[in-house]
Amino acid sequence: MGDKPTSKSVTVFDVAREAGVSKSTVSLVLTQSDKVSDKAKLKVEKAIEKTGYVYNRDAASLRSRRSNLVAIVINDLTNPYSAQLAVGLEAQIRKMGMFSMLVNSAESVETQTQLVKNLKEYNVAAFIICPAPGTTSDWMNKLVDQGFPVVNIMREISGAKVATVLPDNFTGTKLATEHLLAKGYKKLAFIGGLESISDYHQRLSGFTEAMVLADKSVAKKLCIQSETNRNGGRNAMLEVLDVEPDIEAIVCFNDVIAYGAVEQMRASGKIPGKDIAVVGFDDLEDSKLMSPSLSTVHVDANKIGIAVCQILSNIKDGNRNKILVGVDLIERETS
Amino acid sequence: MGDKPTSKSVTVFDVAREAGVSKSTVSLVLTQSDKVSDKAKLKVEKAIEKTGYVYNRDAASLRSRRSNLVAIVINDLTNPYSAQLAVGLEAQIRKMGMFSMLVNSAESVETQTQLVKNLKEYNVAAFIICPAPGTTSDWMNKLVDQGFPVVNIMREISGAKVATVLPDNFTGTKLATEHLLAKGYKKLAFIGGLESISDYHQRLSGFTEAMVLADKSVAKKLCIQSETNRNGGRNAMLEVLDVEPDIEAIVCFNDVIAYGAVEQMRASGKIPGKDIAVVGFDDLEDSKLMSPSLSTVHVDANKIGIAVCQILSNIKDGNRNKILVGVDLIERETS
DNA sequence: GGAATTTATTGGAACGTTCCAACATTAAAA
DNA sequence: TTTTAATGTTGGAACGTTCCAATAAATTCC
């Protein structure tokens, strides 16, 4: 463990000898400099091939004080949307010519702190962080002040002076709610999520806004918080049915909540999409495949990746922008 | 992008000066050597704290030719079991005092090849690979021959001379099938999976073995391959119902297939767990939470992580063991 | 065609750590 | 006490790259 192939490794010097140039020229080729002649470049490339040279990024990064390693710190990889997001980010970062490494904080601030501490030792070029609950603005600001480029995603941290990329939560639930109202549903509820999560308020506001614009009152009793898992969705749905047996449509905090809600409807003898309409948020892969397929607010992970990369490419100006990534309503069978 | 805090960084020399010892002593403390006095160690630790020193692993790894970076190359992070697995691996590796970085090949051999090439440049200590379909034994053997410690997981690659950790697929489906037979179900089917995947054969064999031991014949028509997603499960279930309308129990290639099968049963007017029993494989988080909860074969991601770490810790002997990780049948409401 | 300029190439120093052999100190054995 | 051994500490060299200033070669200008 921790051991490495001990055979003497091939270095720029070996390549240089093989190519009949100096080590410096080899280095210029490796760093894709344009001030090297095509002839020399070709010779070097041949020599690299022949010698089986592999670039040593440790040495490069030590000397140049630069790195193309971007760390993605994800709050919970077992959460399907997070996984989708991570993959989207990875793809965009790779397109930028950078290399990303993914680590999982498992929703623990302690783990997150430890991970970031370690990642600093690896000389990462930037941090993309989907923060664990309880992350303080102090901690984040310290990271930024130390000079690390940081992009915060998905969850806002109030007081943190850091660039942030979020889905447009407000618009998402507003669209969803308007859609249900337009379909003629009169009695709506909003279920799932906890007010300790920053996006809860944004999503609830979207719902409220649409209701108010349609001259509907929003009953507190029909805005039911819950754990953001299937069980939470089931329990919240049960409560809704208890408070208002004739409920007609449900706006869910996210798709997982919607899955639970759909299950509970069935258990309570209601047919989802027929007796009660449902709209989710996230557009997980299952939402399209399940039956009935789930209407939901699509949040494109690639778009988030693109926005993050945009910030990353000119973060030197101490970019503290907030980017709201556009969302799309996908109408399917449950509405 | 690619830029780093340009401020002159704190080095071992600064720490040494602050602590009143030599840089070598500082280094000994950093590497947790036992040949440094407690007094000196304490002074150094204080100085590290005071100066805000951060260890430079690039320099360390360059000089020592060692690394504690383990790369985990996962075939598809959006697959819920893969994500669970990645998290389990990560946890165990961290317990070993190593640091893991996760990358996603997205089931593409090309991406996988590119990723591994890059990771070599980062001087990783070992590779844990869940190979993309189409991965050749030649490629894997070359990696091993280059001296990199490699552990192959989940999918066997025939001809590859590499240590491998797999769930005990055979025993898993055998247990599942025996369980259904013991419950008195007579007409069983096996659905899902494609024979191009290595674990398909193992799981199917487990089913067949249990059937044969119980003096049942296995009808080819009731072993139906399909894409390993929800749709695949639905289609396979539809086909089963077509071939044998009185089917009593289904052994599924994995949980996702089971989810699809359950949906199709409902759509076809059958009640899962009552009219038709179902057993899955993997034990995803949803399987416990869904309704009715899914009986399934539990594959503990942490156990796989432990087995991988075992191999990793004495891989120097050119370990080519195959470890079959034990599985457990979890009986729930669908059987 | 020679001077001025641009373009390519080069060797030496530096990045921050660990290794190593030499030294200094302390403890144990004689 | 002296000798031997064990223990702790140290400065210099090395890891493989990029940076830099200097040189060499090719091109342009008058």
Side-chain angles (χ1 to χ4, degrees):
Chain A
M1 98 180 171
D3 292 315
K4 274 290 306 172
T6 175
S7 58
K8 200 132 191 63
S9 54
V10 180
T11 76
V12 275
F13 288 94
D14 302 304
V15 175
R17 191 175 330 112
E18 179 68 34
V21 298
S22 79
K23 63 169 198 347
S24 303
T25 303
V26 176
S27 173
L28 289 172
V29 173
L30 290 171
T31 51
Q32 326 215 22
S33 164
D34 53 349
K35 33 180 64 187
V36 65
S37 69
D38 289 353
K39 200 171 56 178
K41 190 170 163 189
L42 209 75
K43 283 194 289 183
V44 170
E45 276 162 354
K46 276 224 177 78
I48 287 177
E49 189 61 37
K50 183 166 176 192
T51 53
Y53 168 78
V54 354
Y55 188 54
N56 186 329
R57 289 202 189 261
D58 286 331
S61 147
L62 170 59
R63 170 61 225 205
S64 70
R65 302 169 135 293
R66 261 179 281 111
S67 142
N68 69 158
L69 237 191
V70 176
I72 306 178
V73 184
I74 287 287
N75 58 313
D76 178 14
L77 265 182
T78 62
N79 171 322
Y81 187 72
S82 297
Q84 232 165 273
L85 179 67
V87 171
L89 282 168
E90 217 182 7
Q92 296 307 323
I93 288 172
R94 211 168 294 153
K95 265 191 202 153
M96 270 182 98
M98 311 243 103
F99 194 86
S100 70
M101 67 191 280
L102 201 55
V103 297
N104 177 37
S105 69
E107 305 281 22
S108 146
V109 198
E110 292 76 32
T111 309
Q112 179 177 267
T113 307
Q114 185 60 44
L115 285 173
V116 168
K117 189 182 164 211
N118 282 319
L119 289 165
K120 284 182 198 167
E121 302 180 347
Y122 284 106
N123 185 26
V124 299
F127 287 95
I128 301 172
I129 303 182
C130 181
T135 301
T136 64
S137 54
D138 278 1
W139 178 79
M140 230 167 205
N141 287 335
K142 201 183 291 174
L143 191 58
V144 172
D145 289 343
Q146 284 171 338
F148 291 99
V150 179
V151 182
N152 180 40
I153 59 173
M154 301 309 287
R155 296 170 172 179
E156 247 175 319
I157 301 218
S158 72
K161 287 174 286 185
V162 64
T164 302
V165 176
L166 302 165
D168 191 346
N169 292 305
F170 176 84
T171 305
T173 43
K174 181 156 175 264
L175 284 173
T177 310
E178 285 170 349
H179 159 67
L180 291 170
L181 291 168
K183 285 262 173 180
Y185 299 105
K186 303 256 187 307
K187 299 186 181 168
L188 312 204
F190 180 88
I191 68 169
L194 291 170
E195 60 179 0
S196 56
I197 314 177
S198 78
D199 35 6
Y200 177 75
H201 305 279
Q202 300 161 355
R203 295 191 186 174
L204 180 57
S205 305
F207 173 74
T208 310
E209 170 94 352
M211 292 290 274
V212 168
L213 285 178
D215 261 331
K216 301 259 173 208
S217 65
V218 176
K220 272 267 167 61
K221 286 193 273 185
L222 291 176
C223 298
I224 298 168
Q225 296 186 34
S226 79
E227 296 277 317
T228 49
N229 58 33
R230 242 168 226 260
N231 263 331
R234 260 205 312 262
N235 293 335
M237 189 64 222
L238 203 57
E239 202 174 327
V240 167
L241 287 169
D242 188 47
V243 172
E244 176 57 83
D246 299 327
I247 194 77
E248 296 172 359
I250 310 281
V251 177
C252 298
F253 175 74
N254 67 17
D255 281 4
V256 172
I257 295 285
Y259 299 163
V262 164
E263 266 171 22
Q264 185 57 53
M265 285 176 205
R266 284 214 180 88
S268 303
K270 304 277 188 180
I271 301 176
K274 192 144 175 273
D275 299 333
I276 307 179
V278 188
V279 181
F281 204 113
D282 281 349
D283 196 18
L284 302 181
E285 206 163 344
D286 275 352
S287 301
K288 185 170 53 192
L289 298 173
M290 68 192 277
S291 168
S293 56
L294 181 70
S295 296
T296 189
V297 176
H298 177 77
V299 182
D300 190 335
N302 281 310
K303 280 194 197 158
I304 294 186
I306 291 169
V308 167
C309 288
Q310 243 166 39
I311 293 184
L312 240 39
S313 29
N314 57 338
I315 198 139
K316 45 189 58 140
D317 335 298
N319 194 325
R320 265 124 187 67
N321 293 346
K322 174 161 36 163
I323 297 186
L324 289 184
V325 172
V327 299
D328 304 294
L329 179 69
I330 311 281
E331 304 179 23
R332 299 209 183 92
E333 296 164 10
T334 58
S335 72
Chain B
M1 96 181 176
D3 291 313
K4 273 289 305 174
T6 176
S7 57
K8 201 136 190 62
S9 54
V10 180
T11 76
V12 276
F13 288 94
D14 302 303
V15 175
R17 189 176 329 110
E18 178 69 32
V21 298
S22 78
K23 68 178 196 334
S24 303
T25 303
V26 175
S27 172
L28 289 172
V29 173
L30 290 171
T31 52
Q32 325 216 21
S33 163
D34 53 349
K35 32 181 65 186
V36 65
S37 69
D38 290 352
K39 202 172 54 177
K41 191 170 163 188
L42 209 75
K43 281 195 290 183
V44 169
E45 278 162 353
K46 278 225 176 77
I48 287 177
E49 189 61 38
K50 183 165 176 193
T51 54
Y53 169 78
V54 354
Y55 189 54
N56 186 330
R57 287 199 191 263
D58 286 332
S61 147
L62 169 60
R63 168 64 222 200
S64 71
R65 304 173 132 292
R66 262 180 279 111
S67 142
N68 69 159
L69 236 192
V70 176
I72 305 178
V73 184
I74 288 288
N75 58 313
D76 178 13
L77 263 183
T78 62
N79 170 323
Y81 187 71
S82 296
Q84 232 166 271
L85 179 67
V87 171
L89 283 167
E90 216 181 9
Q92 297 306 323
I93 287 171
R94 211 168 294 153
K95 266 192 198 152
M96 270 181 98
M98 312 243 101
F99 193 86
S100 68
M101 67 190 277
L102 201 56
V103 297
N104 177 38
S105 70
E107 305 280 22
S108 147
V109 197
E110 291 75 33
T111 309
Q112 179 177 265
T113 307
Q114 186 58 45
L115 285 174
V116 167
K117 189 181 164 212
N118 282 319
L119 288 165
K120 283 182 197 167
E121 302 180 345
Y122 283 106
N123 184 25
V124 300
F127 287 96
I128 301 171
I129 304 182
C130 181
T135 302
T136 65
S137 54
D138 277 1
W139 178 80
M140 235 177 197
N141 287 335
K142 200 183 292 175
L143 191 57
V144 172
D145 290 343
Q146 286 172 336
F148 290 99
V150 178
V151 182
N152 179 40
I153 59 174
M154 301 311 286
R155 296 169 171 180
E156 246 174 321
I157 303 218
S158 73
K161 287 175 287 185
V162 64
T164 301
V165 176
L166 302 166
D168 191 347
N169 291 305
F170 177 84
T171 305
T173 43
K174 183 157 174 263
L175 283 174
T177 310
E178 284 170 350
H179 159 67
L180 291 170
L181 291 168
K183 285 262 173 180
Y185 300 106
K186 304 258 188 302
K187 299 187 181 166
L188 311 202
F190 180 90
I191 68 168
L194 291 169
E195 61 181 358
S196 56
I197 313 177
S198 79
D199 36 5
Y200 178 75
H201 305 280
Q202 300 162 355
R203 294 190 187 175
L204 180 57
S205 304
F207 172 74
T208 310
E209 170 95 352
M211 292 290 273
V212 168
L213 284 178
D215 262 333
K216 303 259 174 207
S217 65
V218 176
K220 273 265 169 63
K221 287 193 274 184
L222 291 176
C223 297
I224 297 168
Q225 296 185 36
S226 79
E227 295 278 317
T228 48
N229 58 33
R230 243 168 226 257
N231 263 331
R234 260 206 312 260
N235 293 335
M237 188 66 221
L238 203 57
E239 202 174 328
V240 167
L241 287 169
D242 188 47
V243 173
E244 176 57 84
D246 299 328
I247 194 75
E248 295 174 359
I250 310 281
V251 177
C252 298
F253 174 74
N254 68 17
D255 281 5
V256 172
I257 295 285
Y259 299 163
V262 163
E263 267 171 21
Q264 186 56 55
M265 285 177 205
R266 284 213 180 92
S268 302
K270 305 277 188 180
I271 302 176
K274 194 144 175 272
D275 299 334
I276 307 179
V278 188
V279 181
F281 204 114
D282 281 347
D283 194 17
L284 302 181
E285 206 163 345
D286 275 352
S287 302
K288 185 170 56 191
L289 299 173
M290 67 193 276
S291 169
S293 57
L294 180 70
S295 296
T296 189
V297 176
H298 177 78
V299 182
D300 190 337
N302 281 310
K303 280 193 195 161
I304 293 185
I306 291 170
V308 167
C309 288
Q310 244 166 37
I311 292 184
L312 240 39
S313 27
N314 57 338
I315 198 140
K316 43 190 62 141
D317 336 294
N319 194 326
R320 267 126 187 66
N321 293 345
K322 175 160 37 161
I323 297 186
L324 289 184
V325 173
V327 298
D328 305 292
L329 180 70
I330 312 281
E331 304 178 22
R332 298 208 183 93
E333 295 165 10
T334 57
S335 72

